[in-house]
Each structure stands twice: as C-alpha cells, then as structure tokens.
Amino acid sequence: MTGADVVLVGYFSAREKDFVALMDAAAEELTARGARIVGRITQRRGVSDGGARKMTLPYSSRTLLSSGKVLEVAVHCEETEADLVVFATDLTHRQQHILTGIFDRPTVSLSGIAADG
C-alpha cells in the first residue's frame, strides 16, 4: 500500500447523509497506510424517484455500480495511472475479480485491506 496511487470509490444510499464524511474517513485510513489518493468517485443510489424504490439493490450484481460509473472509474484510473482501486463499500470476491479485469488493476474493499493489517 505504501506509495500506491489509489482511486477511492464509494457506493452509498441516498439515505446516507454523511457519505462525504465516510469517504473522508476512508481516504484518511488509506493515507495513513501510505497510499496517495489520486481520485474519489461516488455512486449514490436512491437520489432519483426510480432509484429510491431500488435503493437496497446494487446497480449491477457484477460490478455494484452503474455502467456509466464503471466507465468513469476506468477512465480516471487510466488518466491518473492509478495502481489500485479501493471501494469504501464491501465487494464480493466475484465483484473484485470482475472489476479488477475491467479496471486493469487490483480492485479491493477497504475492509479487506483493514483485515489484512
């Protein structure tokens, strides 16, 4: 983690009013581990009327995010030459595998990094 350029991604319900504070805390934790945050991208669910009915569901079971947000993260990774993508939200092993392939760089959950010590 030390010296790694990281894109931090958050997926939050519209009911989560403190999502900025949660992203700040995640960024602080990564910085304390020696990472350099080169981007912060947030996907909010339930902001629109249609999304509010589906708020507890991910946009995609494969990627958690909407296809547009996945593209945004991928482009940002390329532009910043990020080493790693870290999700503030938990990812399944399948999501990690799929997103690692899409972003062409390791993609992990912050909780997984914390568990590894």
Side-chain angles (χ1 to χ4, degrees):
M1 180 66 58
T2 301
D5 288 342
V6 174
V7 173
L8 177 61
V9 180
Y11 174 84
F12 302 102
S13 157
R15 293 180 183 164
E16 179 59 64
K17 301 302 181 197
D18 293 332
F19 72 94
V20 173
L22 293 171
M23 287 292 281
D24 289 344
E28 287 175 22
E29 183 172 342
L30 291 168
T31 301
R33 293 174 179 271
R36 185 171 74 103
I37 307 301
V38 296
R40 291 170 51 144
I41 297 173
T42 302
Q43 173 85 64
R44 305 259 341 265
R45 185 64 190 254
V47 176
S48 69
D49 288 338
R53 289 189 296 277
K54 300 176 183 177
M55 194 167 355
T56 60
L57 303 173
Y59 278 100
S60 164
S61 61
R62 293 181 68 241
T63 64
L64 188 68
L65 307 172
S66 68
S67 58
K69 197 58 71 169
V70 168
L71 180 59
E72 182 181 340
V73 173
V75 167
H76 197 76
C77 286
E78 287 298 316
E79 289 175 347
T80 62
E81 298 180 1
D83 301 308
L84 181 69
V85 178
V86 177
F87 274 69
T89 311
D90 288 337
L91 295 172
T92 66
H93 290 293
R94 181 172 183 253
Q95 288 167 335
Q96 282 182 248
H97 178 74
I98 290 168
L99 290 167
T100 292
I102 292 171
F103 300 146
D104 196 27
R105 56 205 18 94
T107 303
V108 297
S109 299
L110 180 61
S111 63
I113 292 171
D116 290 342

